[in-house]
């Protein structure tokens, strides 16, 4: 009796985990995709940037961005909903998502601000860095002094699209990544 009870409970658990699409005969192909690029910087020539999506389909997937140092250790990760990231939002198939992820992680697309010295200047007595029609918002808790220290260090910078109208900029300093802030762009 105990064996039948355990088997019955296991069957109920499997049935409870079965997606509605399978119950109606429409199997989803999923949205498992991956993009990887080498981030060759003087500070760490073998660092890598990787993005992975997973989900029952691309409309309901999640995307994880992972940056690893040259030893393969993760030094940064962030999870996003692809429909809320401009470069991923239109990818509706695993093949399209694979292409979008590869473009998303490509450091060669980061030509606007490849190093922290390219960050906009934060003048004395200003509330934030000044960058004309493309506002730059420093990371939470950043002071003008700490921002300018990162800017003066001229360290590698990776800025990636993190929403529909902005980039998140990360500075590689002393083997760690730190968020410098968000660069907005007209949408």
């Amino acid at each position: 009796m105990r064996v039948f009870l355990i088997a019955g409970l296991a069957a109920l658990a499997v049935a409870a985990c079965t997606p509605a699409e399978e119950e109606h005969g429409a199997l989803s192909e999923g949205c498992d995709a991956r993009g990887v690029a080498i981030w060759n910087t003087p500070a760490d020539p073998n660092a890598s940037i990787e993005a992975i999506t997973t989900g029952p389909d691309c409309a309901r997937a999640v995307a994880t961005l992972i940056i690893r140092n040259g030893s393969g250790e993760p030094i940064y990760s962030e999870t996003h909903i692809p429909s809320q990231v401009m470069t991923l939002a239109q990818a509706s198939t695993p093949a399209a998502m694979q292409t979008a992820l590869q473009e998303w992680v490509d450091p060669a697309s980061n030509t606007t601000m490849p190093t922290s010295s390219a960050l906009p200047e934060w003048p004395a007595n200003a509330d934030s860095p000044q960058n004309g029609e493309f506002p730059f918002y420093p990371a939470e808790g950043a002071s003008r002094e700490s921002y300018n220290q990162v800017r003066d260090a001229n360290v590698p910078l990776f800025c990636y699209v993190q929403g529909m109208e902005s980039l998140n900029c990360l500075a590689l300093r002393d083997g760690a990544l730190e968020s410098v802030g968000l660069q907005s762009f007209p949408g």
Side-chain angles (χ1 to χ4, degrees), residues 14-38:
V14 169
C17 295
T18 302
E21 291 88 356
E22 291 181 22
E23 291 175 13
H24 294 91
L27 294 176
S28 174
E29 64 182 82
C31 193
D32 296 340
R34 182 174 182 243
V36 179
I38 298 299

Side-chain angles (χ1 to χ4, degrees), residues 44-67:
D44 191 346
N46 295 315
S48 64
I49 305 167
E50 175 181 13
I52 302 166
T53 56
T54 187
D57 54 44
C58 292
R60 296 176 289 169
V62 294
T64 303
L65 179 75
I66 305 156
I67 300 177

Side-chain angles (χ1 to χ4, degrees), residues 55-82:
D57 54 44
C58 292
R60 296 176 289 169
V62 294
T64 303
L65 179 75
I66 305 156
I67 300 177
R68 298 177 186 276
N69 65 20
S71 300
E73 297 172 47
I75 56 174
Y76 179 84
S77 69
E78 185 77 34
T79 301
H80 298 271
I81 298 172

Side-chain angles (χ1 to χ4, degrees), residues 158-171:
F158 180 69
C159 297
Y160 69 94
V161 177
Q162 60 90 46
M164 296 306 272
E165 298 180 355
S166 61
L167 302 170
N168 185 20
C169 293
L170 306 168

Side-chain angles (χ1 to χ4, degrees), residues 2-18:
R2 191 177 282 180
V3 171
F4 291 115
L5 181 59
I6 292 171
L9 289 173
L12 284 173
V14 169
C17 295
T18 302

